[in-house]
Amino acid sequence: MFKRLLAAVALLAVFAALPAKADWRASFKELRFGITSAENEADTLVRFDAFAGYMRAKLGVPVTVRRGNDYAAVVEALAARQVEFARMGPAAYARAVQLMGDDIVPIAKDMDLDGAVGYHSVVVVRAESSYRSLADLRGKSLAFADPNSASGFVAPSYFMAKEGLVPARHFARTGFAGNHETGVLAVVGNQYDAAATWWNNAERSNITRMEEKKMIPAGAVRIVWRSPLIPNSPWVARKLPDDLVAAYRDALLAMPTDAPDVWKGIVDGKMLKPVPAARAEYDDMIRMIEENQRTRRGL
């Protein structure tokens, strides 16, 4: 009995001598969160102010939000370790996978109020125009949003080509507006005949958001084409300590319950909640990017 007690005491001494597992806060005095330029800068930052406060309260360190000038800027910031987390479109995430491999992981994706976990690319025209289909737009102009936008470039380019319509040949002119709102404004302002943008459903889209923000009159544009389903935008993390990723994931998934007003502010009250995401869900988007790259190279 005495020998067993001595052995137990010795074992405890060994464990006591082991270094304690370092808390991630010892290495991260601040956490940085990147967002893409889907809408104008002022609106985006206002929408995420409360998010930063919520995450600070949950994680115990300051959280700052950084908006990229374009979609690629957020990918580059993750790769350069200038931000720890980000919310980005599926195409931007696919680009990040091409650049970073396993050093970037999807944490979650949004679920719509109707339970859907995907959205669409649409092509819009002025409501009073005579265009009713992509065929009617032959020889006209089309504004894409950003080369790293899923719904604003990657998906429409890919799916149009699958329908036998290569944008570079079908349209007389294409260009990048810089973001989704600017593309739609270019259509309303007669600078382009059509624009590609995102659309979830009749209640949630870039169009309805712009109408609610009084950026365009209600009914100013009309949809003439819609893509197959695209997986919803992921919330991602670069390679980080497991306990930090777990703490962030828990806080994010708990947001609709613990801070419903913060969640509603981010998603206009039109997304139900974030749900776990896996890289395999975005494999098709990676293939789309690779196919579009081959098409542009003429392969």
Side-chain angles (χ1 to χ4, degrees), residues 173-299:
R173 177 170 64 98
T174 62
F176 292 108
N179 62 53
H180 288 268
E181 291 180 341
T182 306
V184 173
L185 288 173
V187 170
V188 174
N190 287 297
Q191 296 167 305
Y192 277 88
D193 297 303
T197 190
W198 62 270
W199 186 91
N200 283 78
N201 50 52
E203 289 73 41
R204 175 174 166 77
S205 68
N206 183 45
I207 302 163
T208 57
R209 176 182 286 178
M210 292 181 70
E211 291 174 346
E212 291 165 0
K213 291 162 63 174
K214 309 299 184 185
M215 296 181 71
I216 59 173
V221 296
R222 174 168 41 82
I223 295 171
V224 297
W225 178 84
R226 187 176 73 178
S227 77
L229 199 67
I230 304 166
N232 273 346
S233 298
W235 302 72
V236 305
R238 64 175 174 86
K239 191 172 184 179
L240 296 165
D242 291 343
D243 55 345
L244 170 53
V245 173
Y248 173 80
R249 179 188 293 110
D250 291 347
L252 178 60
L253 296 179
M255 192 187 304
T257 300
D258 292 354
D261 290 342
V262 175
W263 174 252
K264 289 177 182 177
I266 294 173
V267 299
D268 297 332
K270 296 174 181 175
M271 286 287 184
L272 181 62
K273 61 183 180 180
V275 294
R279 173 173 165 173
E281 298 173 69
Y282 298 90
D283 284 348
D284 285 344
M285 184 57 58
I286 295 171
R287 285 191 284 271
M288 286 183 200
I289 288 177
E290 292 170 347
E291 179 64 24
N292 285 344
Q293 289 170 338
R294 286 192 291 269
T295 298
R296 290 200 298 273
R297 292 196 299 266
L299 300 180

Side-chain angles (χ1 to χ4, degrees), residues 8-196:
V9 171
L11 187 60
L12 287 173
V14 169
F15 281 119
L18 292 175
K21 184 178 179 181
D23 185 87
W24 59 264
R25 293 173 186 83
S27 300
F28 295 88
K29 303 302 183 184
E30 175 191 43
L31 295 172
R32 299 158 297 180
F33 182 87
I35 49 179
T36 56
S37 54
E39 58 182 317
N40 70 73
E41 181 172 9
D43 289 344
T44 305
L45 293 176
V46 167
R47 289 157 65 83
F48 277 87
D49 275 349
F51 167 84
Y54 167 81
M55 282 295 178
R56 175 173 184 160
K58 284 286 188 180
L59 301 176
V61 296
V63 175
T64 59
V65 177
R66 299 184 177 182
R67 176 185 180 273
N69 293 328
D70 56 26
Y71 285 47
V74 178
V75 175
E76 291 163 1
L78 284 161
R81 303 169 66 85
Q82 295 173 347
V83 296
E84 283 68 53
F85 304 99
R87 189 187 189 206
M88 59 202 327
Y93 167 66
R95 297 276 192 189
V97 170
Q98 287 184 317
L99 180 63
M100 300 172 64
D102 293 336
D103 287 345
I104 182 168
V105 294
I107 298 295
K109 60 182 181 296
D110 297 335
M111 175 183 284
D112 293 352
L113 295 176
D114 59 4
V117 289
Y119 69 115
H120 301 270
S121 170
V122 294
V123 171
V124 300
V125 299
R126 288 181 296 281
E128 71 273 13
S129 74
S130 61
Y131 311 127
R132 298 289 167 180
S133 67
L134 291 181
D136 294 338
L137 288 165
R138 180 178 292 277
K140 305 302 179 181
S141 57
L142 173 69
F144 290 117
D146 183 284
N148 290 302
S149 168
S151 58
F153 178 65
V154 175
S157 297
Y158 176 83
F159 288 120
M160 286 180 193
K162 290 298 182 184
E163 294 175 13
L165 186 159
V166 177
R169 296 197 291 267
H170 184 78
F171 300 99
R173 177 170 64 98
T174 62
F176 292 108
N179 62 53
H180 288 268
E181 291 180 341
T182 306
V184 173
L185 288 173
V187 170
V188 174
N190 287 297
Q191 296 167 305
Y192 277 88
D193 297 303

